[in-house]
Amino acid sequence: MAEPLIIVGKGMAATRLVDELSQRALGRYSIAVIGAEGRLAYNRVLLSPLLAGEIAEPDIELKPAAWWRARGVSMIYGRAVAGIDRAARTVTLEDGLALPYGKLVLATGSKPLKPPFPGGDLPGVATFRDTADVGMMRAYAQRGARIVVIGGGLLGLEAAYGLSKAGGKVTLLHLVERLMERQLDAEGAGLLAAAITARGIDVRLSSATKGFVGTDKVEGVELQDGTIIPADLVVIAIGVRPNTDLAKAAGLAVNRGIVVDDAMASEDANIFAIGECAEHRGQVYGLVEPAYEQARVLAMRLAGQKSAGVEAAYAGSLLATNLKVSGVGVFSAGEFEAGEGAEILVLRDPTAGIYRKFVLREGRLAGCVLVGDTQGALFYLGLIRSGQEISAIRADLPFGEPYCANGRIGEAA
């Protein structure tokens, strides 16, 4: 008889886990996937182009209903899990239904951060996290509303781009002096800010929010220096925090995220966590690729498979960012600032809006930043991950893979 496996959360991490597991141990588990949203799993990365009107809602669906049925997966929509009984090995839904599990996977994702700014409960103050948010935000943008987006990281830039493309008059506020400060150096961030500004978004850096003003609804954002920016809609997009409520209530170890080992197991050997809710070796990842890598390791573990004769283990992920904002390509991986002992190679073309920076350490590529032209991003990411010696292609590195083949310019052209 198949062992009951329950996955709480039906986002990208959960979908990848089912995909990986169905390829490795189809029929070994009786799988149920539970999610609070009343729809099939979808790609959250595509919410920005959905908001911009570049794609339609069906385009963000990860897998059709037939795909889940073909793998024998029970899908429970629009019903959140209220609690976990570790002793009885059951999860209880908010409507009181209790379901038994042999193995339990928490893929509960994260929640948007919303600091307690004065006026934060006014209508018109929102976050950017799901399709419901997209529908509401698009309605404002399409009528040309004045919209303030707070946050100049990945999430804020995506929201600002989508809202501007949809017709909104967008002001982007960022607390520090440069955009994407966790991924870009000052020069790359400056080039990105200039490109976004040229596309009609008002970018205001070093702007600290004090609170929101309005009576029956939000009417503006007040900054710490007393400036008030008129707004019909305010979108707070300053980041996310792991959704660990269920794990905490069940008595599992939680720091920033649900603490897991290299097998993605919590302190309870029958409960696992993957994706944005998991904390591995002190690190919480808010990106898709680490979630997929974790899902693969967990699928191998659950399937009883080994790699090169040893059990699969997750050793952590190399952080890489690849996005396009208002038509401006941005890629960042590994080290983006030159620390002690590092060398730097830079290729810049201000007229064309291109900036390519490479951080080398002991003859190896330690990191890179590409703005305006992200061609070769996967090639560079491979060099960083492999740690291979690149002295032979050092001079040609900024020009991309074709110039680096066999250490000779143009070899692969």
Side-chain angles (χ1 to χ4, degrees):
M1 189 175 190
E3 183 178 3
L5 168 65
I6 291 180
I7 304 173
V8 181
K10 58 179 182 60
M12 300 175 76
T15 303
R16 177 55 67 96
L17 176 60
V18 171
D19 193 4
E20 293 275 359
L21 196 54
S22 66
Q23 295 176 48
R24 302 171 188 279
L26 186 63
R28 177 167 178 169
Y29 295 95
S30 175
I31 303 175
V33 178
I34 306 171
E37 285 190 74
R39 57 169 299 157
L40 284 169
Y42 59 89
N43 187 339
R44 292 188 191 277
V45 176
L46 296 178
L47 288 179
S48 178
L50 177 64
L51 176 60
E54 297 173 345
I55 59 175
E57 196 153 319
D59 297 328
I60 71 172
E61 190 176 279
L62 287 171
K63 303 290 184 182
W67 183 89
W68 296 94
R69 287 196 300 269
R71 284 149 185 80
V73 179
S74 299
M75 297 291 289
I76 300 177
Y77 303 97
R79 296 161 72 185
V81 172
I84 300 167
D85 187 330
R86 291 168 55 191
R89 288 199 195 178
T90 60
V91 296
T92 302
L93 306 189
E94 58 188 357
D95 60 7
L97 177 65
L99 300 173
Y101 68 84
K103 296 287 189 293
L104 174 64
V105 179
L106 300 177
T108 49
S110 56
K111 298 178 180 180
L113 288 172
K114 193 174 181 182
F117 292 122
D121 57 350
L122 285 169
V125 178
T127 55
F128 181 33
R129 186 60 183 165
D130 55 33
T131 52
D133 296 330
V134 169
M136 178 274 296
M137 291 160 62
R138 186 191 290 136
Y140 276 91
Q142 287 176 339
R143 62 174 184 259
R146 301 166 301 178
I147 303 171
V148 173
V149 176
I150 300 174
L154 288 169
L155 193 63
L157 289 169
E158 290 177 347
Y161 164 65
L163 288 163
S164 178
K165 191 80 184 292
K169 299 178 178 64
V170 180
T171 298
L172 177 67
L173 304 179
H174 195 41
L175 179 63
V176 299
E177 76 285 351
R178 71 176 191 253
L179 299 175
M180 292 181 64
E181 72 278 3
R182 294 181 181 179
Q183 294 89 15
L184 297 179
D185 63 359
E187 186 171 353
L191 191 63
L192 177 60
I196 292 174
T197 299
R199 286 160 172 79
I201 297 174
D202 180 12
V203 178
R204 303 194 187 189
L205 303 174
S206 301
S207 297
T209 300
K210 181 178 181 180
F212 310 120
V213 297
T215 50
D216 299 327
K217 60 181 181 63
V218 71
E219 296 172 11
V221 177
E222 183 179 4
L223 304 184
Q224 291 288 358
D225 64 6
T227 301
I228 294 180
I229 303 171
D232 305 304
L233 172 68
V234 176
V235 178
I236 301 174
I238 60 173
V240 296
R241 63 178 176 85
N243 188 355
T244 61
D245 296 346
L246 275 176
K248 281 182 181 176
L252 296 173
V254 172
N255 290 327
R256 289 175 57 216
I258 304 166
V259 178
V260 296
D261 60 18
D262 292 355
M264 306 313 300
S266 71
E267 62 182 350
D268 185 322
N270 296 304
I271 301 179
F272 306 83
I274 58 174
E276 293 178 326
C277 68
E279 178 180 326
H280 174 263
R281 299 184 186 179
Q283 178 73 49
V284 174
Y285 299 95
L287 299 171
V288 175
E289 192 59 34
Y292 285 174
E293 293 172 0
Q294 293 169 2
R296 180 176 179 275
V297 168
L298 180 54
M300 291 182 70
R301 284 278 184 156
L302 293 174
Q305 291 184 338
K306 294 186 177 182
S307 177
V310 298
E311 289 188 308
Y314 178 66
S317 295
L318 172 68
L319 294 179
T321 300
N322 196 359
L323 77 158
K324 203 161 199 174
V325 181
S326 297
V328 184
V330 176
F331 176 79
S332 174
E335 297 183 41
F336 61 89
E337 298 282 14
E340 186 177 348
E343 294 181 79
I344 294 180
L345 294 178
V346 174
L347 173 68
R348 56 170 67 86
D349 185 342
T351 303
I354 293 173
Y355 176 69
R356 298 165 75 84
K357 174 183 176 180
F358 303 86
V359 179
L360 279 60
R361 195 174 288 281
E362 297 180 352
R364 293 167 173 79
L365 184 61
C368 70
V369 171
L370 312 176
V371 179
D373 176 14
T374 59
Q375 201 167 22
L378 292 180
F379 168 64
Y380 297 128
L381 184 59
L383 291 179
I384 297 170
R385 282 177 169 163
S386 69
Q388 69 189 73
E389 229 283 343
I390 61 166
S391 297
I393 60 172
R394 183 182 185 282
D396 304 323
L397 190 66
F399 302 100
E401 185 174 11
Y403 293 90
C404 294
N406 298 321
R408 293 195 295 273
I409 294 178
E411 180 70 24

